[in-house]
Amino acid sequence: MPFELSTIPCLSDNYAYLIHDAKTGATALVDAPEAGPILDVLAEKGWTLSDVLITHHHYDHVDGLAEILAAHPARVIGAAADAHRLPPLDLALNDGDTVQIGSETGSVIDVSGHTIHHVAYHFPASKLVFTADSLMALGCGRVFEGTKPQMWDSLQKLVALPGDTTVCSGHEYTAANAKFALTIDPDNPDLISRVRDVTDKRASGLPTVPSLLSEELATNPFLRAHDPAIQAHLGMTGANATDVFTEIRTRKDNF
Ligand code: ZN
Ligand code: FE
């Protein structure tokens, strides 16, 4: 049986996620922007936290951790290479390592770019990937520490996952991402209809995440640097995908 997934809005535009394994009772939190909303969901569901998976060191992904651990002592998991700037880790992992949450095995994917040693967590049986500030709905994270080519390489690891994987990203940035995406890929009918859907959801106060990887492949300009229509629109026909991605990311930085 796949994990039960709970998407939890935190702070002004962050998301945390809980995954619950009904078979074993294990419950893992992905990122801890703030304690209150996460503790509320744990109480409502009657779940006891067993594990916390941290994606990267930014405050809006870890600041709630101490308060959550005070109520739910849990195993804290993160990137070994970032242990010096993450909260204390009980399990420090590297790219390609596996992590057991209840009855399910996940894998750690290094997706450096937004930060160096940002990691994603993939749970193939439940078809979930937690991408935080790497791959986002209609977007990707701003490149603070790595290089844009490095972010492109990181995104390639995520696009290699099955298309029916659910992408659980870290922020509600989709409406702004949609506006930008239309400047890059204005004639893409899948994008146009997704933007309509995003606008409707936000007007109703609904989250636009998680999304499906197949949907990102069809509409997210940051994954579509190979696309001839986008290349033509940017005057970059025949350019290599890394350069096209770099141009798209640069335009977004200045949007
Ligand atoms: Zn971040
Ligand atoms: Fe963030």
Side-chain angles (χ1 to χ4, degrees), residues 72-84:
H72 290 260
R75 180 176 67 155
V76 180
I77 300 163
D82 249 1
H84 63 284

Side-chain angles (χ1 to χ4, degrees), residues 14 31 55-61 114-115 118 132-134 136 141-142 144 171 173:
N14 276 80
D31 284 343
T55 61
H56 68 297
H57 73 284
H58 283 160
Y59 78 95
D60 61 314
H61 299 259
H114 176 71
T115 65
H118 186 309
D133 299 356
S134 60
M136 293 177 157
R142 191 174 279 260
F144 286 120
H171 288 271
Y173 291 162

Side-chain angles (χ1 to χ4, degrees), residues 20-252:
H20 177 73
D21 181 33
K23 206 180 197 175
T24 60
T27 302
L29 169 67
V30 183
D31 284 343
E34 62 173 332
I38 294 164
L39 293 174
D40 287 350
V41 174
L42 285 167
E44 266 164 42
K45 298 272 191 183
W47 294 345
T48 302
L49 201 61
S50 53
D51 303 279
V52 181
L53 299 162
I54 298 176
T55 61
H56 68 297
H57 73 284
H58 283 160
Y59 78 95
D60 61 314
H61 299 259
V62 299
D63 262 14
L65 186 61
E67 194 182 337
I68 291 166
L69 291 177
H72 290 260
R75 180 176 67 155
V76 180
I77 300 163
D82 249 1
H84 63 284
R85 59 179 180 174
L86 289 171
L89 299 178
D90 300 304
L91 181 61
L93 298 174
N94 294 298
D95 182 48
D97 284 352
T98 58
V99 57
Q100 191 71 25
I101 302 295
S103 58
E104 207 172 311
T105 307
S107 66
V108 178
I109 307 173
D110 181 290
V111 288
S112 289
H114 176 71
T115 65
I116 305 286
H117 308 307
H118 186 309
V119 293
Y121 297 95
H122 178 223
F123 292 91
S126 286
K127 299 180 187 293
L128 293 170
V129 66
F130 296 93
T131 60
D133 299 356
S134 60
L135 176 59
M136 293 177 157
L138 281 178
C140 76
R142 191 174 279 260
V143 178
F144 286 120
E145 295 182 0
T147 63
K148 292 181 173 83
Q150 184 177 34
M151 177 63 106
W152 171 253
D153 290 343
S154 293
L155 294 175
Q156 296 321 292
K157 299 180 191 176
L158 299 173
V159 304
L161 302 178
D164 60 353
T165 304
T166 296
V167 178
C168 303
S169 51
H171 288 271
E172 183 58 64
Y173 291 162
T174 319
N177 288 342
K179 263 188 208 136
F180 173 73
L182 287 171
T183 69
I184 300 295
D185 199 10
D187 302 318
N188 178 344
D190 294 329
L191 174 60
I192 292 164
S193 76
R194 186 174 179 192
V195 171
R196 223 174 278 135
D197 181 56
V198 164
T199 308
D200 290 349
K201 279 193 172 130
R202 293 312 293 154
S204 315
L206 297 172
T208 61
V209 305
S211 57
L212 267 185
L213 183 58
S214 56
E215 183 181 20
E216 296 305 330
L217 289 167
T219 56
N220 185 327
F222 296 97
L223 301 183
R224 296 172 53 74
H226 305 97
D227 183 73
I230 290 182
Q231 292 195 355
H233 186 72
L234 298 175
M236 295 183 79
T237 295
N240 76 58
T242 306
D243 291 342
V244 178
F245 171 80
T246 298
E247 172 64 21
I248 295 170
R249 188 58 253 181
T250 302
R251 288 186 184 214
K252 178 65 164 63

